[in-house]
Amino acid sequence: MLCCSTGPGWVSLAARTANVLSLRLAGKLGFAEVERFEEWGGEQWKGTWA
């Protein structure tokens, strides 16, 4: 599952690192990794696109 939020001039995206297809799609869309964190019982990935 992907979770997305926006603001003026940026888009933020979060996905579980175990979801390889979501991470691959985020990379193809140009999202850059900002951080990794633990939530909902697993490692999450957060990226931004500007």
Side-chain angles (χ1 to χ4, degrees):
M1 181 174 120
L2 294 173
C3 180
C4 184
S5 60
T6 62
W10 59 269
V11 178
S12 177
L13 178 74
R16 185 172 282 215
T17 56
N19 191 339
V20 178
L21 295 177
S22 291
L23 295 179
R24 190 178 307 157
L25 176 61
K28 287 183 179 183
L29 293 174
F31 283 85
E33 182 176 337
V34 174
E35 68 176 314
R36 291 183 184 227
F37 57 95
E38 274 297 311
E39 193 171 283
W40 299 100
E43 185 180 49
Q44 307 290 321
W45 177 94
K46 183 175 184 179
T48 60
W49 179 84

